[in-house]
């Protein structure tokens, strides 16, 4: 029991620390964005509704049982289902980060993106941390069809981009999910910077070699 408590206390502190870091660097804003992490007993800790990631109280995070029932803490975010869809499909995930980060949202609005894989393989770190980024079509907030669409896309990728909304990224650890989300946002920024330029992304062979090394 002591081990579980200390693991939970550390995870609560880690979520608050990562949230503040993300907020302070303006990777999300207001009360947007949410973070969750899975404990070894299967319980899920998640940032609550209307909470700013910049000012999280570790003691007030929402806690779900392994069965997905809200058991204590503040009222969970209305976007809890986005996280649950990712854990359901990506069984090895230990954490999920969802942001309304500006450049990723901007890329989701471009007319000519490939919905199967939104961003080109611009850098090795993008390929290693994100790999493939399918687009989830737009649905109004709270629409049940959004959960189904996320679950469908999450079958083949641990990172998805919600059209006109933002990325949802799962990782083995909280740091993995954080770093992959940040890599995604920076690559979206690069992609926008390069819009009017001819570019040389990694070749299919270079990309494949990195994916095989993962
Ligand atoms: Zn959102």
């Amino acid at each position: 029991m002591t081990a579980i408590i200390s693991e939970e206390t550390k995870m609560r502190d880690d979520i608050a620390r990562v949230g503040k870091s993300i907020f302070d660097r303006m990777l999300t804003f207001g009360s947007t964005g949410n973070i969750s992490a899975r404990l070894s007993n299967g319980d899920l800790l998640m940032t609550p509704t209307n909470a700013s990631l910049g000012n999280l109280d570790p003691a007030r995070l929402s806690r779900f049982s392994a069965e997905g029932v809200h058991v204590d803490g503040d009222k969970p975010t209305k976007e809890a289902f986005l996280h649950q869809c990712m854990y359901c499909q990506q069984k090895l995930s230990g954490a999920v980060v969802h942001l309304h980060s500006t450049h990723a949202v901007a890329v989701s609005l471009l007319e000519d993106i490939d919905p199967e894989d939104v961003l080109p393989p611009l850098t090795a770190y993008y390929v290693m941390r994100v790999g493939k980024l399918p687009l989830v079509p737009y649905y109004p907030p709270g629409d049940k069809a959004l959960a189904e669409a996320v679950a469908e896309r999450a079958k083949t990728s641990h990172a998805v981009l919600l059209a006109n909304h933002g990325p949802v990224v799962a990782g083995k650890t909280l740091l993995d999910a954080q770093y992959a989300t940040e890599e995604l946002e920076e690559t979206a920024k690069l992609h926008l910077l390069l819009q009017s330029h001819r570019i040389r992304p990694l070749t299919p062979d270079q990309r494949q070699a990195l994916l095989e090394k993962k």
Side-chain angles (χ1 to χ4, degrees):
M1 192 64 190
T2 312
I4 292 290
I5 290 168
S6 67
E7 181 207 16
E8 180 172 335
T9 303
K10 182 177 179 309
M11 191 60 86
R12 285 175 181 275
D13 290 345
D14 285 350
I15 289 173
R17 186 175 42 73
V18 168
K20 179 163 170 43
S21 167
I22 283 171
F23 187 87
D24 286 352
R25 288 176 291 141
M26 299 171 75
L27 294 172
T28 206
F29 48 87
S31 62
T32 66
N34 27 72
I35 300 173
S36 67
R38 189 147 60 175
L39 299 168
S40 54
N41 66 357
D43 282 7
L44 212 60
L45 295 173
M46 200 179 295
T47 51
T49 188
N50 269 329
S52 162
L53 292 192
N55 191 28
L56 292 168
D57 180 346
R60 292 177 58 175
L61 296 178
S62 312
R63 191 160 62 91
F64 292 82
S65 68
E67 294 72 38
V69 179
H70 178 226
V71 284
D72 60 29
D74 282 0
K75 193 173 165 203
T77 166
K78 289 180 278 298
E79 297 187 315
F81 70 93
L82 293 177
H83 295 248
Q84 281 152 346
C85 289
M86 296 304 284
Y87 289 109
C88 197
Q89 299 296 339
Q90 296 283 322
K91 302 284 185 207
L92 298 177
S93 299
V96 173
V97 173
H98 164 55
L99 303 180
H100 295 184
S101 50
T102 306
H103 299 92
V105 177
V107 163
S108 84
L109 301 172
L110 297 177
E111 188 78 65
D112 294 323
I113 45 177
D114 176 3
E116 297 303 318
D117 194 5
V118 174
L119 287 168
L122 296 180
T123 67
Y125 276 87
Y126 174 75
V127 173
M128 290 189 290
R129 291 208 180 274
V130 179
K132 180 174 171 236
L133 183 67
L135 185 75
V136 175
Y138 172 79
Y139 293 97
D143 191 326
K144 272 206 163 64
L146 177 58
E148 286 161 25
V150 171
E152 185 58 34
R153 289 305 208 178
K155 281 181 187 167
T156 55
S157 179
H158 69 281
V160 302
L161 181 60
L162 312 183
N164 310 63
H165 186 165
V168 187
V169 182
K172 283 201 179 94
T173 66
L174 180 53
L175 273 187
D176 285 338
Q178 177 195 357
Y179 292 164
T181 312
E182 293 184 11
E183 196 66 41
L184 191 164
E185 173 63 8
E186 291 305 309
T187 306
K189 191 173 174 180
L190 280 176
H191 184 61
L192 294 169
L193 280 171
L194 295 166
Q195 279 296 293
S196 56
H197 299 267
R198 294 173 62 200
I199 64 166
R200 284 179 291 103
L202 301 186
T203 65
D205 283 353
Q206 287 168 334
R207 178 178 183 271
Q208 194 54 36
L210 291 164
L211 292 175
E212 282 165 15
K213 247 173 59 182
K214 274 211 305 188

